[in-house]
Amino acid sequence: MEAQKQKIKINEGTVQETLLLLLWGRATETQKSNPRIVDNKAVEIIDQLDYDFSTITENLNELSITGWVARCIHIDRAVKQFIEKYPEATIINIGCGLDTTFDRIDNGKIMFYELDFPEVVELRKFFIKTQKGIEVLLLHF
């Protein structure tokens, strides 16, 4: 029997909490019977969090989720078109949060830089491991 992994606690009212909206939206969409986008990494991350998502589900409507999903689909398409034209491109994702775009668009040749504040980068490390083609950098102001 596999030992249960410890879940990562997200404190209310922190910058980490704001990162959950889009992540939760992608995970929720992925779990529908006919999803418009599939983001298994978002589902995996949500499952590893110690957070009460009832606040999100009570205060948001389907229109908000539809907007997030449409934005995600649009960005994925735009980046994929760019990569088709420039297959060895370098892409910079500023304010990456818990974004999982790289997992959906990587062609095995691109270089993808994820930038965010130190506390966000620290949170990302729990869920999104460094892999070939992706670098996570800190933003300092």
Side-chain angles (χ1 to χ4, degrees):
M1 178 184 246
E2 186 179 320
Q4 186 176 1
K5 292 182 180 181
Q6 182 177 353
K7 293 195 173 212
I8 306 301
K9 176 83 172 146
I10 302 294
N11 296 318
E12 292 183 25
T14 65
V15 70
Q16 293 177 344
E17 188 178 30
T18 64
L19 307 174
L20 301 181
L21 294 173
L22 298 174
L23 180 73
W24 177 84
R26 291 190 313 271
T28 299
E29 181 65 26
T30 297
Q31 295 173 328
K32 291 181 178 179
S33 61
N34 190 19
R36 295 164 287 183
I37 188 167
V38 175
D39 190 340
N40 293 317
K41 187 67 175 177
V43 174
E44 179 185 316
I45 293 170
I46 290 290
D47 288 343
Q48 295 177 55
L49 293 173
D50 178 10
Y51 183 79
D52 180 7
F53 286 92
S54 65
T55 303
I56 293 175
T57 58
E58 291 169 3
N59 295 318
L60 293 176
N61 58 37
E62 187 63 29
L63 185 58
S64 295
I65 297 169
T66 299
W68 296 335
V69 170
R71 175 179 163 229
C72 186
I73 290 168
H74 176 71
I75 290 170
D76 284 3
R77 283 182 186 159
V79 174
K80 284 178 184 179
Q81 287 174 350
F82 183 78
I83 292 170
E84 285 175 15
K85 190 172 182 179
Y86 305 101
E88 295 182 15
T90 296
I91 298 166
I92 301 170
N93 185 3
I94 300 172
C96 60
L98 293 173
D99 186 64
T100 55
T101 300
F102 180 79
D103 293 319
R104 294 187 307 276
I105 58 93
D106 180 37
N107 67 354
K109 298 178 186 177
I110 62 170
M111 187 64 203
F112 203 85
Y113 289 95
E114 303 270 43
L115 293 106
D116 216 315
F117 294 112
E119 62 271 21
V120 174
V121 171
E122 284 303 310
L123 182 63
R124 279 184 68 86
K125 288 179 185 179
F126 286 108
F127 309 111
I128 303 171
K129 305 299 179 209
T130 303
Q131 52 193 314
K132 184 180 183 270
I134 190 168
E135 288 284 331
V136 180
L137 305 170
L138 305 175
L139 289 175
H140 292 281
F141 291 96

